[in-house]
Amino acid sequence: MFDTKSSFILSKLGIQGFIPRDKKPNKEEIFGALWGNILTLIDKPFNELDENELDLLKKIIKAISDNESDPSFSKQLENLNELSIKPQLSILFTDGKLELTKDVSPTIKSEPLHVLLDNLELKKRLWLKIKEFKNGSSVS
């Protein structure tokens, strides 16, 4: 765009002739983890969850899995293409804007974890959906 001399003068003035842009795909970012065969998708990167949110998430996973030990995640995800198995259950802890393009049903849709923390009514609704799943009914 500019010759070398012009680029040099502009750079001394603090003006860049070319500003690189971040390449972001048009798709929405996802964050989540695979806990054995349970997929959880959350509204922010997994490592940004505070201690209370992580504790709540572990309790939810433990309630679903019927495993007595504390759950540990087997894989952190940023893309659904990273899934090598079809999860037994997917839980979306998002604000409802995320639409899954890959078939990962059955799916339970919930509010984000930070919203669930202080809202007993939303926790009850989520628990009812989990009980419905455990009893073999369809969820969504």
Side-chain angles (χ1 to χ4, degrees), residues 87-100:
Q88 171 189 351
L89 175 67
S90 301
I91 307 176
L92 306 179
F93 295 102
T94 60
D95 54 9
K97 295 178 184 174
L98 180 65
E99 290 297 323
L100 298 178

Side-chain angles (χ1 to χ4, degrees), residues 18-40:
F18 174 72
I19 301 172
R21 291 185 180 177
D22 291 338
K23 291 184 177 180
K24 289 190 175 181
N26 291 335
K27 66 177 181 153
E28 194 167 351
E29 289 182 301
I30 66 156
F31 306 102
L34 193 60
W35 304 75
N37 57 1
I38 300 170
L39 173 65
T40 56

Side-chain angles (χ1 to χ4, degrees), residues 53-70:
E53 291 171 326
L54 185 58
D55 188 45
L56 176 61
L57 183 58
K58 284 182 179 181
K59 287 178 181 176
I60 292 168
I61 298 301
K62 190 173 181 178
I64 295 169
S65 67
D66 294 328
N67 193 347
E68 294 300 318
S69 64
D70 279 342

Side-chain angles (χ1 to χ4, degrees), residues 11-138:
S11 69
K12 291 298 177 187
L13 294 172
I15 301 170
Q16 289 185 332
F18 174 72
I19 301 172
R21 291 185 180 177
D22 291 338
K23 291 184 177 180
K24 289 190 175 181
N26 291 335
K27 66 177 181 153
E28 194 167 351
E29 289 182 301
I30 66 156
F31 306 102
L34 193 60
W35 304 75
N37 57 1
I38 300 170
L39 173 65
T40 56
L41 298 178
I42 52 180
D43 60 344
K44 58 186 169 184
F46 192 75
N47 59 356
E48 290 181 16
L49 291 175
D50 69 28
E51 190 175 322
N52 293 331
E53 291 171 326
L54 185 58
D55 188 45
L56 176 61
L57 183 58
K58 284 182 179 181
K59 287 178 181 176
I60 292 168
I61 298 301
K62 190 173 181 178
I64 295 169
S65 67
D66 294 328
N67 193 347
E68 294 300 318
S69 64
D70 279 342
S72 60
F73 68 89
S74 47
K75 184 172 186 169
Q76 188 171 340
L77 301 169
E78 293 181 10
N79 185 333
L80 287 180
N81 293 331
E82 296 175 30
L83 286 174
S84 57
I85 62 165
K86 183 175 179 180
Q88 171 189 351
L89 175 67
S90 301
I91 307 176
L92 306 179
F93 295 102
T94 60
D95 54 9
K97 295 178 184 174
L98 180 65
E99 290 297 323
L100 298 178
T101 55
K102 191 172 185 174
D103 181 29
V104 289
S105 60
T107 302
I108 294 176
K109 295 181 182 180
S110 177
E111 298 296 323
L113 291 168
H114 66 90
V115 175
L116 281 175
L117 278 174
D118 301 322
N119 193 318
L120 189 58
E121 185 59 36
L122 291 176
K123 285 181 187 177
K124 285 180 184 177
R125 271 194 248 158
L126 176 59
W127 179 243
L128 289 173
K129 289 178 184 179
I130 290 171
K131 280 179 61 175
E132 190 176 310
F133 167 75
K134 290 179 83 167
N135 291 334
S137 303
S138 63

